[in-house]
Amino acid sequence: MEHEVFVPVPVERLRETLGDPVRVARAVPGLQQDAGADPVAGRLKVRVGSHSITYRGAVRVSARDDGSYAVEGDATETRGTGSVKLALTLRLRDTDGGTTVTFGGTATADGRVTELPPDAVGAAVVRLLTRFAEALGEAQEEPEQGKQPESQPQTPEAVEAPEEPPAPLVDDFTEPVGPPAEAAHARRTMIGRSAEEVDHAPPRGRYAPVPAPQTVASGATLRWAAPAAAVVLASAIVVGRALRKRR
């Protein structure tokens, strides 16, 4: 088989990726790596038409003297006795705006995959190689663990915390913003008075004390009402006597 894929990445970058087994394993689509095994080893589910087959195996990529790469792999079915062997040659060709990746070689298989339509099997292989080539261009080198970006150390004395502005006052909308009318009037009437007068000034408005009810004294009324009554009585007596003499 032979298949070509264009990748918008320079050739040098792809060569760096192919030389790193960790980055190659990251480029295999759907690979579930086995703990403690080689980087490009583990489980891979391949979908062929409406069927899916899971294989467990390993792939090895090695550089050749002519600038190409040998891709060799073998795997067995996780639920069956079928197996697959892969022997491919990968070549990189510099192209305007990127690199053309060419796959060529053979693959042999037995088991469940031989029972599926050949067209569906070929389409699944082409799709797998295309996604692998595209992932090679996207694979990035992982940063070293524990490595922090370089920065100049700063001591606590050299770093001064910025002065925080005072927090703005929050208006309480449940109470009137201004003072009551009575308090404002009392404040206006106190202008010009001395401190002693203000301290002893009685509260006004709703806060003014309620005066006690006053009782009317009858003694003062009788002191001026009694002499007047005596004068009226004496005048009536004099008038009565004069009327009797005339008769």
Side-chain angles (χ1 to χ4, degrees):
M1 62 179 179
E2 187 173 349
H3 181 59
E4 290 186 354
V5 181
F6 173 77
V7 180
V9 174
V11 175
E12 293 75 10
R13 179 174 173 182
L14 289 181
R15 293 191 182 279
E16 293 177 0
T17 302
L18 291 172
D20 186 357
V22 176
R23 298 165 70 178
V24 172
R26 198 181 309 128
V28 177
L31 176 65
Q32 298 179 2
Q33 295 176 268
D34 291 337
D38 294 337
V40 195
R43 297 161 55 97
L44 179 64
K45 180 182 291 186
V46 180
R47 187 171 184 82
V48 181
S50 58
H51 302 271
S52 60
I53 305 174
T54 302
Y55 293 95
R56 181 186 296 275
V59 175
R60 294 165 296 278
V61 179
S62 57
R64 293 178 175 176
D65 296 337
D66 59 354
S68 63
Y69 294 85
V71 181
E72 301 176 350
D74 57 87
T76 57
E77 297 178 4
T78 57
R79 296 183 180 182
T81 59
S83 62
V84 174
K85 290 186 178 181
L86 187 68
L88 299 179
T89 300
L90 187 150
R91 292 182 173 86
L92 304 177
R93 186 175 71 252
D94 191 5
T95 310
D96 293 340
T99 305
T100 299
V101 182
T102 304
F103 297 94
T106 59
T108 59
D110 56 12
R112 293 179 54 192
V113 71
T114 59
E115 302 174 358
L116 302 177
D119 296 341
V121 175
V125 173
V126 169
R127 181 172 61 252
L128 181 62
L129 294 178
T130 301
R131 294 178 59 187
F132 173 69
E134 294 174 350
L136 285 175
E138 299 175 357
Q140 300 292 334
E141 184 178 2
E142 293 184 352
E144 298 181 4
Q145 297 293 337
K147 185 177 181 180
Q148 301 292 338
E150 297 182 359
S151 60
Q152 297 181 355
Q154 295 181 356
T155 59
E157 293 77 10
V159 180
E160 297 182 358
E163 183 179 357
E164 298 183 356
L169 299 178
V170 180
D171 295 336
D172 186 3
F173 294 99
T174 59
E175 298 292 340
V177 178
E182 294 82 356
H185 175 73
R187 186 179 295 107
R188 289 194 300 269
T189 56
M190 293 180 183
I191 297 176
R193 298 185 181 182
S194 62
E196 182 178 0
E197 291 176 345
V198 172
D199 293 340
H200 295 282
R204 304 183 61 180
R206 67 175 68 180
Y207 303 104
V210 179
Q214 299 180 0
T215 57
V216 180
S218 60
T221 304
L222 293 177
R223 283 197 298 268
W224 64 266
V231 172
V232 174
L233 181 59
S235 300
I237 294 173
V238 173
V239 173
R241 289 178 179 177
L243 292 176
R244 284 198 296 270
K245 290 182 178 180
R246 290 182 181 181
R247 294 176 179 175

